[in-house]
Amino acid sequence: MQEPAPVSPWWDRAKYLDRQPFLRARSAVTRAIRDWFAAADFAEVETAILQRSPGNETHLHAPRTELLGSDGERSTLFLRTSPEFACKKLLAAGEARIFEFARVFRDRERGRLHLPEFTMLEWYRAGEPYEAVIADCVALIGLAARTTGVGAFGYRGRSADPLARPEMLTVADAFDRYAGIDLLGTISGGKGDRDALARAADSKVRVVADDTWSDIFSKVLVEHVEPRLGEGRLTVLHEYPAPEAALARSKAGDPRVAERFEVYACGVELANGFGELTDAAEQRLRFTAEMDEKQRRYGERYPLDEDFLAAVARMPEASGVALGFDRLVMLATGAASVDQVVWTPPAGEAS
């Protein structure tokens, strides 16, 4: 039997030259963004990758490792899924404006838009509302486009002008427009009515018996809403429903929604931000509920970071956002996937 031809490694000269223009552009965008933050009086920080808790969201999965101490004791640590916990501890310590180009890690994620190890650009403004970081996102996305000279973003047949005034769209309006669902009519007391949403979504998505309110919400979002966002211009999807608040505070005057937003271009999610929750007791309740659901679904749970919860109670009012830097560079360079814009592929992959 003839042996298969060997696959050339990613550092093969010819293969590498195909990616080199994207990588040079990545460097230029990185420099431009660092200059932008410096001009706005932000401090660049570097926070620890190894954490006792990698985050407490049901569907985020973190690689784990074992650390051997000088005394011979072994302890389980995780590779972070986000620098959020550490950055918020810095806010509690008194930092006012910080940003980080953070290497983060996620199990169960690989695809055209996903890598198991990737770069997240995350930043925070103490004492400023979340509208301020929304404006930052729009400015930085436009800066990336101007730096590369791409003109319009394009991805899988969709296009968007990153310099045009963005569309501001609430999640409730998006569900009504694209799925014909009265989303807020399924929320009461900050909780989602699973059966009400199941009835409303029955003809839109496949609903199964053990789907939660959040499961049904996610199905409608992914199948009917997200593909329509960021067409022609950026879309800022904001006022997320309370059951999807994550680490965001409730909107003043309307407990059905939270100060959470996401930014989309060409159907691609680029950023996820919050008006930050500073109620430690409420954050503990949310984390515990998320870990109970992770245990039910996946048979595992991550510990709560007690140091982080203590920091939440001492944090000033703040806003923050995480932006997928590889995805931004992909759109700003016209690359077909994030694989083309990272300097080295995931370990063990040839391309």
Side-chain angles (χ1 to χ4, degrees), residues 7-219:
V7 177
S8 60
W10 63 263
W11 44 264
D12 177 82
R13 181 65 176 166
K15 183 177 287 190
Y16 183 71
L17 283 175
D18 288 339
R19 293 169 50 238
Q20 195 173 53
F22 299 118
L23 301 176
R24 293 289 184 265
R26 181 189 180 104
S27 290
V29 172
T30 302
R31 287 193 300 271
I33 287 177
R34 280 198 163 104
D35 289 345
W36 187 93
F37 277 117
D41 198 29
F42 279 75
E44 182 170 7
V45 301
E46 293 180 290
T47 59
I49 289 174
L50 291 175
Q51 298 288 329
R52 294 193 179 278
S53 175
N56 297 109
E57 295 183 50
T58 299
H59 302 293
L60 287 187
H61 303 274
R64 68 181 67 203
T65 187
E66 195 173 67
L67 196 67
L68 184 63
S70 58
D71 58 358
E73 288 294 316
R74 297 181 181 274
S75 58
T76 297
L77 296 176
F78 298 88
L79 303 184
R80 65 186 178 184
T81 59
S82 154
E84 183 166 6
F85 286 6
C87 285
K88 288 182 176 177
K89 292 172 186 176
L90 291 175
L91 293 180
E95 291 291 345
R97 292 184 178 185
I98 56 174
F99 78 100
E100 181 173 7
F101 280 97
R103 298 298 288 177
V104 298
F105 306 82
R106 295 184 182 178
D107 277 345
R108 306 185 187 221
E109 295 197 10
R110 186 66 176 100
R112 191 184 288 256
L113 294 173
H114 296 89
L115 293 166
E117 176 183 356
F118 61 98
T119 299
M120 181 179 287
L121 173 61
E122 191 151 328
W123 69 96
Y124 293 86
R125 289 178 176 266
E128 298 186 62
Y130 88 137
E131 289 82 1
V133 291
I134 291 176
D136 290 342
C137 281
V138 173
L140 289 171
I141 292 168
L143 175 62
R146 288 193 300 273
T147 300
T148 64
V150 70
F153 287 169
Y155 184 71
R156 307 192 82 173
R158 302 183 181 93
S159 65
D161 180 354
L163 303 180
R165 184 182 181 88
E167 173 190 32
M168 301 296 295
L169 182 65
T170 68
V171 177
D173 285 345
F175 268 60
D176 179 50
R177 180 186 301 177
Y178 299 125
I181 291 174
D182 175 12
L183 185 66
L184 297 187
T186 72
I187 300 173
S188 178
K191 305 289 185 182
D193 183 330
R194 184 267 178 202
D195 292 338
L197 185 55
R199 289 191 296 271
D202 184 58
S203 64
K204 312 295 181 183
V205 296
R206 180 173 178 267
V207 177
V208 297
D210 66 346
D211 277 343
T212 64
W213 185 97
S214 290
D215 292 331
I216 302 168
F217 169 85
S218 295
K219 288 180 179 181

Side-chain angles (χ1 to χ4, degrees), residues 266-288:
C266 305
V268 175
E269 178 202 335
L270 286 177
N272 179 25
F274 308 137
E276 303 295 349
L277 181 66
T278 55
D279 183 334
E282 172 62 20
Q283 190 64 80
R284 181 184 296 276
L285 288 173
R286 293 184 192 179
F287 281 169
T288 300

